Amino acid sequence: QVQLVESGGGLVQAGGSLRLSCAASGSSFTINTMGWYRQAPGKQRELVATMTRGGVTNYADSVKGRLTISRDIVKNIVYLQMNSLKPEDTAVYYCNAELRRIPGGPLYMYFGQGTQVTVSS
């Protein structure tokens, strides 16, 4: 079984910064893409940022220039540095990993339990 554990959420004022971390643990897997999604109250879960194993990144337009994703491939950790935060960034942030259990095998999608980020105006 694979577990994703997030940390780093909290309450911050508008314009402030937070850094989220997510560590993947378990046995016998290779992670392809890791990233972050978020879900605000009353809204659908949306992609925030992802990074492939090769370092290719993808960001939601709403966070470009303010949020930065990075990864430690060896340790299976993904980070999200969030700067210039806005009240509309308030949401539960979920870590995501797309992985294979065997080389060439099917891809599986995992999500963490989520961490709350609240930005006050």
Side-chain angles (χ1 to χ4, degrees):
Q1 186 69 314
V2 177
Q3 284 191 319
L4 301 177
V5 179
E6 303 104 334
S7 61
L11 173 64
V12 65
Q13 289 188 330
S17 298
L18 283 174
R19 189 189 194 212
L20 305 183
S21 301
C22 171
S25 63
S27 61
S28 302
F29 62 87
T30 300
I31 296 176
N32 181 17
T33 299
M34 285 191 88
W36 296 90
Y37 287 69
R38 68 186 180 187
Q39 188 166 16
K43 296 188 176 181
Q44 289 189 332
R45 189 174 296 188
E46 64 176 1
L47 180 147
V48 176
T50 60
M51 178 180 277
T52 68
R53 193 170 183 83
V56 177
T57 58
N58 181 37
Y59 291 94
D61 287 342
S62 60
V63 307
K64 286 179 180 177
R66 301 186 299 115
L67 276 57
T68 304
I69 189 170
S70 60
R71 278 177 71 174
D72 184 325
I73 298 293
V74 174
K75 295 182 179 179
N76 287 323
I77 298 174
V78 64
Y79 304 95
L80 186 67
Q81 178 66 44
M82 303 190 293
N83 299 327
S84 302
L85 283 163
K86 304 176 181 180
E88 50 264 43
D89 294 316
T90 295
V92 177
Y93 283 70
Y94 296 91
C95 176
N96 165 258
E98 180 186 80
L99 57 88
R100 300 182 194 275
R101 292 196 170 277
I102 57 174
L107 283 169
Y108 294 93
M109 190 80 79
Y110 284 83
F111 284 93
Q113 292 296 311
T115 185
Q116 178 70 45
V117 171
T118 302
V119 184
S120 64
S121 57

